[in-house]
C-alpha cells in the first residue's frame, strides 16, 4: 500500500513569511498526526485528528499555527507568520482507529523547514 | 506531558560490535511502547510495539525488551552493520489517548 505522502520535502522562508505543508495519509486511516521535530529533540505532537475532528491540539501554538483536515482525508498545516524557532522537520503520521494492542503510526518523510 | 527519556544521546560503534540503548518512561497509565528507526532523509520506520510487562520482540539482529513496572525498555543490536546507522526513537502511549510521546532519540553511527 502507498505510504504517507508529504510535500514539500524542503522549504526555506524568511521570518514573518507564511508557509503551508500538505499531508496525504494512508487510505482508510482515521487518525492523522502532525509532529514538530527540532534538531536534538524528539518529535513533539502539534495536533491530532480523528477523521475531520481535532482530538488534541494542546501543544499547537494557535497564534501562528493552524491545521485542517477537510473531509477527513488530506491535511494541511500552516504557519503564519513564521519565526526563526519554527525551523524543524514537520512530520505527518497516520494510523487506523485505536486498537487494543497498540497500533503503530506510519510516518511520512517529513518537511524540513528552515526559517532565515 | 510526561517525559520519555533515552540514553545515550549518541554513540559510535565499530562494525560487528553489539550495542544497546535505553528508553525510560512513566509507568503510570501505560498502554504501549513503540520503537522506531529513523534514517536520514527517510520516514521513521516502526520496529516494535510492546504492551505487556516482560514482552520481548526480535527482528533479525535487533531485539527489544519491556519492563512496564519500572518504566524502561532496552533495544539491542547484535553485530552492528553500517546500515544500522540511524536515530532510534522510542514512544510511549497511555491509556487515555492515541498520542505518542517520543523520547529525544539515540543517534547510532556504525563505523566500517
Amino acid at each position: 500500500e502507498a505510504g504517507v505522502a508529504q510535500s514539500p520535502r524542503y522549504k526555506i522562508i524568511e521570518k514573518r513569511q507564511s508557509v503551508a505543508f500538505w499531508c496525504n495519509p494512508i487510505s482508510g486511516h482515521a487518525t492523522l498526526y502532525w509532529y514538530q521535530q527540532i534538531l536534538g529533540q524528539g518529535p513533539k505532537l502539534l495536533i491530532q485528528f480523528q477523521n475531520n475532528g481535532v482530538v488534541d491540539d494542546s501543544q499547537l501554538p494557535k497564534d501562528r499555527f493552524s491545521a485542517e483536515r477537510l473531509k477527513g482525508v488530506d491535511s494541511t498545516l500552516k504557519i503564519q507568520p513564521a519565526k526563526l524557532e519554527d525551523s524543524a522537520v514537520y512530520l505527518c503520521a497516520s494510523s487506523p482507529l485505536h486498537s487494543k494492542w497498540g497500533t503503530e503510526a506510519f510516518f511520512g518523510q517529513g518537511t524540513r523547514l528552515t526559517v532565515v | 506531558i510526561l517525559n520519555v527519556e533515552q540514553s545515550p544521546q549518541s554513540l559510535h560503534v565499530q562494525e560487528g560490535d553489539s550495542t544497546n540503548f535505553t528508553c525510560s518512561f512513566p509507568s503510570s497509565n501505560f498502554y504501549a511502547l513503540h520503537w522506531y528507526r529513523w534514517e536520514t532523509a527517510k520516514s521513521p520506520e516502526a520496529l516494535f510495539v510492546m504492551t505487556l510487562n516482560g514482552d520481548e520482540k526480535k527482528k533479525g539482529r535487533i531485539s527489544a525488551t519491556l519492563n512496564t513496572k519500572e518504566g524502561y525498555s532496552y533495544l539491542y543490536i547484535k553485530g552492528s552493520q553500517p546500515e544500522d546507522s540511524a536515530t532510534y526513537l522510542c514512544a510511549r502511549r497511555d491509556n487515555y489517548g492515541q498520542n505518542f510521546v517520543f523520547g529525544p532519540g539515540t543517534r547510532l553511527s556504525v563505523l566500517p
Side-chain angles (χ1 to χ4, degrees):
Chain A
E1 63 183 0
V4 176
Q6 287 189 247
S7 67
R9 290 291 309 279
Y10 305 93
K11 190 74 177 177
I12 300 174
I13 62 172
E14 295 183 348
K15 59 183 179 184
R16 292 186 290 273
Q17 285 188 319
S18 301
V19 65
F21 313 130
W22 174 81
C23 173
N24 185 8
I26 292 173
S27 177
H29 280 192
T31 305
L32 185 148
Y33 311 84
W34 282 103
Y35 284 89
Q36 179 194 57
Q37 193 259 338
I38 293 173
L39 188 65
Q41 301 177 21
K44 181 187 83 172
L45 179 73
L46 292 175
I47 189 166
Q48 177 185 338
F49 294 95
Q50 185 162 308
N51 296 311
N52 60 351
V54 176
V55 174
D56 184 354
D57 64 355
S58 57
Q59 297 188 89
L60 186 73
K62 297 180 184 65
D63 57 334
R64 298 184 301 107
F65 286 64
S66 64
E68 60 183 9
R69 191 184 184 197
L70 298 176
K71 301 180 182 179
V73 181
D74 292 7
S75 178
T76 56
L77 176 70
K78 296 179 181 178
I79 307 175
Q80 180 179 9
K83 293 185 176 181
L84 296 176
E85 58 261 35
D86 298 332
S87 295
V89 175
Y90 290 84
L91 288 165
C92 178
S94 70
S95 68
L97 274 177
H98 188 66
S99 81
K100 189 59 179 175
W101 303 111
T103 306
E104 66 190 71
F106 297 83
F107 284 84
Q109 290 182 290
T111 296
R112 182 176 295 278
L113 173 67
T114 302
V115 182
V116 298
Chain B
I1 302 295
L2 303 174
N3 285 336
V4 176
E5 305 292 339
Q6 290 187 248
S7 63
Q9 183 177 13
S10 66
L11 75 162
H12 301 262
V13 301
Q14 290 293 135
E15 182 175 356
D17 288 350
S18 295
T19 187
N20 64 85
F21 329 131
T22 302
C23 172
S24 58
F25 52 86
S27 56
S28 61
N29 299 311
F30 174 86
Y31 185 86
L33 193 285
H34 298 249
W35 280 101
Y36 285 86
R37 174 171 60 201
W38 192 6
E39 296 179 65
T40 303
K42 294 187 177 180
S43 308
E45 171 198 359
L47 291 174
F48 304 114
V49 180
M50 294 181 289
T51 57
L52 300 176
N53 186 45
D55 260 355
E56 294 187 23
K57 295 285 181 78
K58 185 175 182 181
K59 182 185 293 187
R61 294 179 291 98
I62 304 176
S63 60
T65 61
L66 178 67
N67 183 321
T68 61
K69 293 182 179 180
E70 297 182 41
Y72 64 83
S73 175
Y74 295 136
L75 187 78
Y76 302 90
I77 302 178
K78 183 178 179 181
S80 301
Q81 300 296 309
E83 58 264 31
D84 296 329
S85 297
T87 295
Y88 291 82
L89 294 165
C90 68
R92 172 189 181 273
R93 292 172 87 174
D94 64 25
N95 278 322
Y96 297 118
Q98 301 179 52
N99 182 20
F100 297 79
V101 178
F102 282 88
T106 293
R107 183 183 295 274
L108 173 67
S109 296
V110 182
L111 308 174

